[in-house]
Amino acid sequence: MANMLYQLCFGGVAVELDVFATVNGALDEGLNGKVVVVTDVLRATTTITVALTSGCLEVIPVLTPEEAIEMRERLGNGEHLLLGGERGALKIPGFHLGNSPLEYTPEVVEGKRLIMTTTNGTRAIRRAAAGKLVLLGALVNAPAVAAAAAKAEADVSFLCAGTKDRFSLEDFLTAGALVEEMLKQHDYTLRDGARAALEVYRAYRSDILGAFRSSYHGQQLIELGLEEDLDYCAQLGTLDIVPVYAGGLIKKLV
Ligand code: MLT
């Protein structure tokens, strides 16, 4: 653990990176007014990144299937508004799409708006709303998200969605990958959460897919026949879209 104090100052104040491993573990003071990067690599933040890459215009994250259906009725613009998400990792009855990144192709989502609810991911996104800039990070877009977060020249908190308020290896490891990518931009002061996530990422970086496969949620997805999603989500830096959440909507950062 040599050389663990990375320092960057803006206006004489050291800029810090921190990682919150669960939604309930995140402190208001760690989110309010910070750059917040939400991570739910298996699979919500990966899937939303893919949806926007495929030409989806915007994603509206909501907490429950009932809220999603009500919102669709309220917005009522027919075939241009899709419902997506999961419960128990499976498509919700009556919804157009589940939560697999492989479903969100241009043929399906281009020019459409999407209302989305997932067990942990959309909840984490909503929790992050107090951030001054809220980005969605996954492995597929980690270099692009890190570059965007670094540009903000402010403290960055990584908020892991976790699994029903429990620690998730895959989200923590992904937060570590994002910290690693940020350290390519500048030196930063790392709070202990960021140091730990970085060490976990470095321990697994040569076999990220193996780490995903061995994780609790990874095992659940494999049991449901969703193994290909793990292969997709374990890719590093294949997409350069950065989703940003503001005013209740997720769009591409421009
Ligand atoms: C979630 O939000 O809990 C996840 O994205 C679950 C999933 O893999 O679908």
Side-chain angles (χ1 to χ4, degrees), residues 40 42-44 86 89 99 118-122 162 217 221:
D40 184 9
L42 292 180
R43 297 166 291 173
E86 57 70 39
N99 192 27
T118 72
T119 311
N120 303 285
T122 51
H217 188 49
L221 294 174

Side-chain angles (χ1 to χ4, degrees), residues 8-251:
L8 176 69
C9 295
F10 291 111
V13 181
V15 176
E16 290 183 345
L17 307 185
D18 202 357
V19 174
F20 294 102
T22 60
V23 175
N24 270 357
L27 304 172
D28 287 342
E29 67 175 51
L31 303 178
N32 295 351
K34 311 274 182 191
V35 175
V36 182
V37 179
V38 180
T39 299
D40 184 9
V41 68
L42 292 180
R43 297 166 291 173
T45 56
T46 305
T47 298
I48 292 168
T49 303
V50 172
L52 295 176
T53 302
S54 293
C56 172
L57 302 176
E58 63 190 23
V59 180
I60 307 168
V62 299
L63 296 179
T64 63
E66 294 72 29
E67 196 185 340
I69 289 161
E70 271 168 33
M71 183 160 298
R72 185 159 190 262
E73 279 164 10
R74 212 167 51 237
L75 296 176
N77 69 348
E79 66 191 38
H80 293 292
L81 192 56
L82 300 177
L83 295 174
E86 57 70 39
R87 282 301 178 271
L90 297 173
K91 184 158 86 83
I92 298 162
F95 276 38
H96 303 93
L97 294 156
N99 192 27
S100 167
L102 305 175
E103 292 174 79
Y104 289 74
T105 60
E107 294 69 33
V108 177
V109 299
E110 191 164 21
K112 308 273 169 75
R113 300 163 76 205
L114 175 68
I115 302 170
M116 189 154 193
T117 179
T118 72
T119 311
N120 303 285
T122 51
R123 175 172 165 250
I125 293 163
R126 294 269 290 250
R127 173 74 178 98
K132 73 169 187 177
L133 173 67
V134 180
L135 306 176
L136 272 53
L139 280 179
V140 289
N141 65 352
V145 170
K151 223 166 138 190
E153 301 189 347
D155 291 346
V156 181
S157 293
F158 297 91
L159 178 61
C160 299
T163 305
K164 294 187 178 162
D165 282 313
R166 294 189 179 199
F167 179 94
S168 279
L169 177 65
E170 71 278 8
D171 289 337
F172 198 64
L173 182 160
T174 300
L178 287 155
V179 170
E180 184 79 289
E181 292 296 329
M182 288 203 68
L183 291 172
K184 292 180 186 168
Q185 313 279 328
H186 296 292
D187 287 344
Y188 290 94
T189 299
L190 301 189
R191 298 292 298 245
D192 290 354
R195 286 178 56 182
L198 182 63
E199 291 302 318
V200 168
Y201 171 63
R202 287 178 176 169
Y204 283 110
R205 73 189 321 162
S206 62
D207 187 18
I208 291 171
L209 181 58
F212 281 11
R213 290 178 63 91
S214 69
S215 69
Y216 180 83
H217 188 49
Q219 291 281 308
Q220 285 182 319
L221 294 174
I222 291 169
E223 274 167 32
L224 290 168
L226 297 165
E227 200 165 342
E228 273 181 277
D229 287 2
L230 272 67
D231 299 341
Y232 189 91
C233 295
Q235 301 174 94
L236 179 66
T238 50
L239 302 177
D240 59 11
I241 293 294
V242 177
V244 58
Y245 176 56
L249 301 174
I250 303 165
K251 296 185 178 190

